Amino acid sequence: MGQDQTKQQIEKGLQLYQSNQTEKALQVWIKVLEKSSDLVGRFRVLGCLVTAHSEMGRYKEMLKFAVVQIDTARELEDANFLLESYLNLARSNEKLCEFHKTISYCKTCLGLPGTRAGAQLGGQVSLSMGNAFLGLSLFQKALESFEKALRYAHNNDDTMLECRVCCSLGSFYAQVKESMKIALQHGDRPLQALCLLCFADIHRSRGDLETAFPRYDSAMSIMTEIGNRLGQVQVLLGVAKCWVARKALDKALDAIERAQDLAEEVGNKLSQLKLHCLSESIYRSKGLQRELRAHVVRFHECVEESELYCGLCGESIGERNSRLQALPCSHIFHLRCLQNNGTRSCPNCRRSSMKPGFV
């Protein structure tokens, strides 16, 4: 079956599917898969089969076709096809509650360089990752992913994606509400603080700042009471984002300054990086170049202090989808850099590099 006939049969299957003749549509697409020699056509029909089985609740079949689609994308040697197929693989595992695999495949999607489909599918990747984090009860990470998905939806006028994100946020809210109920029953103050922080972040993401501020105040009160300084940093970061949304940039900077002091006290580099990023955006909007440069410099200093870069080539680790190697001394390098270096000891501390681990 050639390219033109493949296109015709795919279209025929779509017409059958849209007229609710699902089984007939599946038969047409399976026949195309068996007879077509057109790789692009095979990739498209596999996408149809993945979507159809997802909507029918046949998640194991969905996964089977997603795996075949990955192999086809590799044959095509096109990053756009790889992105779409890895997303389908992530969704399949999400439906089967294989949440760690879902997160791994989503990260692979995000690590693929310069794909045309990235702007269109990035929101769906973030949504799938958020659902996986929610399945693992990692509420803060779930909310961050949902917020990214919402930004994609708003920036691209994607109302369908926005609806799907709102549905996931509804599930998120219900789980946090149940967790809060348990925390109150058992007098678990740390869990109460976390739930209040999650509630505040949810209201902030929805633009309901009037409700968000009191929740942040309650969360801060408990975080201070139990001595959770990192929790206080997270609260202040949320408060700063609220003030940014209200265009009250000086108040936002006050909250960031307090959070930065706490983050430096506990030595949490990730929080410091987030705070410097938010400060950069504020000073950029205010046109204050000297302060902007200071935070850019401090951001890069935090990256270096965190050793988030390869000690051989100097490139940041995580910007590209590269294989890493962890040595027994805990130093991490790009695998290719160590192979090219040719030494059997760690380039940083010169210890013997026996039994390395791969990341």
Side-chain angles (χ1 to χ4, degrees), residues 68-125:
V68 177
Q69 193 184 41
I70 280 279
D71 294 334
T72 307
R74 286 174 178 153
E75 285 186 67
L76 288 164
E77 296 182 344
D78 186 297
N80 293 293
F81 290 131
L82 271 175
L83 173 61
E84 187 177 334
S85 55
Y86 271 116
L87 174 57
N88 282 332
L89 201 54
R91 284 172 170 168
S92 303
N93 280 282
E94 177 197 330
K95 297 296 185 183
L96 292 167
C97 299
E98 294 283 355
F99 298 126
H100 289 292
K101 290 182 180 179
T102 301
I103 293 165
S104 177
Y105 289 128
C106 285
K107 287 181 178 178
T108 300
C109 291
L110 297 173
L112 290 171
T115 53
R116 293 189 304 275
Q120 298 172 338
L121 299 182
Q124 297 178 40
V125 173

Side-chain angles (χ1 to χ4, degrees), residues 35 43 57 68-70 97 106 128 130 142 169 178-180 195 200 213 233 248 252 283 337-338 345 352:
K35 295 190 175 182
F43 182 88
V68 177
Q69 193 184 41
I70 280 279
C97 299
C106 285
S128 190
L169 281 170
E178 187 62 29
S179 296
M180 186 63 169
C195 291
F213 275 118
V233 172
Y283 284 121
C337 294
L338 281 178
S345 60
S352 177

